[in-house]
Amino acid sequence: EAQVTQNPRYLITVTGKKLTVTCSQNMNHEYMSWYRQDPGLGLRQIYYSMNVEVTDKGDVPEGYKVSRKEKRNFPLILESPSPNQTSLYFCASRLNLLAKNIQYFGAGTRLSVL
Amino acid sequence: QKEVEQNSGPLSVPEGAIASLNCTYSDRGSQSFFWYRQYSGKSPELIMSIYSNGDKEDGRFTAQLNKASQYVSLLIRDSQPSDSATYLCAVRRSDRGSTLGRLYFGRGTQLTVWP
């Protein structure tokens, strides 16, 4: 089954404690991205990756890091989480940059930073 | 001006009615347009895509695109309570520079279908 898998689904942490949210896809997609979703603000892109070792900032990259060492994995790293990073996070993937490619989303990770 | 704008709603329609959701976008060169449905606390799920002017129908859903007016809409016929969700409009801009390949999302329109 084609899917985008995020872990963990729920996470409560404290300010400053480094954490990683994993994302994996089994569709051999080149393009992967991370979004956060906040009430009233919609989906905002944090980082994206066009392929292995190619990453770039989205609209709200501050406080986040990513890496793309393998095609299937695209982890999101919060080196020193702060309460304003409390949000619902989605990983997404697409085959490549072509216009008609459909983007698939993971189930989401709800993060609370105390 | 925001890349993609939607009426935030909420939009409330009775069961069996037609729900009309609207979206405008700022980049005239945008190529691809998508409608996602998102139930509360769940991930967005693609329900329609449209790439050329006109209408595209899929079951009870019809997407309409007017590139001259920079407008895309989603019609849901015979609305059901199970259609109650937030509907996100997404637009892929034209290929240039740092925006290459990116999807831009509207803030979503919350739809409630009451029995």
Side-chain angles (χ1 to χ4, degrees):
Chain A
E1 180 189 354
Q3 57 186 6
V4 180
T5 304
Q6 291 179 232
N7 281 296
R9 293 290 314 282
Y10 303 92
L11 180 59
I12 300 174
T13 189
V14 296
T15 299
K17 185 176 180 182
K18 181 179 177 180
L19 67 91
T20 298
V21 184
T22 63
C23 175
S24 177
Q25 49 89 9
N26 63 358
M27 297 171 277
N28 201 35
H29 284 175
E30 293 180 354
Y31 189 95
M32 298 184 74
S33 56
W34 276 102
Y35 296 87
R36 61 178 289 174
Q37 188 174 37
D38 303 288
L41 297 178
L43 276 167
R44 294 181 292 168
Q45 192 176 52
I46 303 170
Y47 268 94
Y48 64 98
S49 169
M50 294 196 225
N51 215 324
V52 175
E53 302 292 1
V54 181
T55 63
D56 207 347
K57 297 176 181 178
D59 295 320
V60 287
E62 295 78 18
Y64 304 94
K65 285 175 55 178
V66 292
S67 68
R68 188 91 182 272
K69 295 185 172 61
E70 307 162 284
K71 201 170 189 179
R72 64 181 290 125
N73 296 323
F74 190 44
L76 179 69
I77 302 156
L78 284 73
E79 294 271 4
S80 183
S82 62
N84 64 12
Q85 292 178 298
T86 293
S87 187
L88 179 58
Y89 291 86
F90 290 104
C91 179
S93 76
R94 286 162 54 192
L95 179 59
N96 54 41
L97 292 176
L98 293 179
K100 296 185 179 181
N101 290 159
I102 294 166
Q103 181 156 290
Y104 298 90
F105 285 86
T109 296
R110 190 170 290 280
L111 172 66
S112 294
V113 183
L114 305 177
Chain B
Q1 181 185 6
K2 201 173 184 322
E3 294 277 351
V4 180
E5 305 235 28
Q6 294 181 249
N7 292 336
S8 59
L11 175 65
S12 182
V13 301
E15 185 174 358
I18 296 175
S20 177
L21 305 159
N22 304 317
C23 173
T24 58
Y25 57 95
S26 62
D27 179 33
R28 186 168 289 279
S30 296
Q31 300 176 340
S32 308
F33 307 86
F34 305 90
W35 283 99
Y36 284 83
R37 177 177 62 200
Q38 186 177 25
Y39 293 112
S40 181
K42 303 295 185 182
S43 60
E45 170 195 13
L46 182 72
I47 53 172
M48 288 290 285
S49 59
I50 187 166
Y51 310 107
S52 54
N53 280 329
D55 294 0
K56 179 182 178 183
E57 188 174 316
D58 184 1
R60 296 186 295 112
F61 299 98
T62 299
Q64 299 175 316
L65 175 60
N66 184 327
K67 288 187 177 180
S69 300
Q70 295 174 236
Y71 174 89
V72 58
S73 66
L74 179 70
L75 299 178
I76 307 175
R77 290 183 302 281
D78 189 23
S79 296
Q80 302 296 310
S82 59
D83 294 326
S84 298
T86 296
Y87 289 80
L88 304 172
C89 173
V91 175
R92 183 186 184 275
R93 286 180 45 151
S94 54
D95 296 344
R96 56 172 181 259
S98 62
T99 65
L100 181 66
R102 287 187 58 184
L103 275 182
Y104 290 85
F105 286 84
R107 296 184 181 184
T109 298
Q110 186 179 341
L111 171 67
T112 300
V113 182
W114 44 276

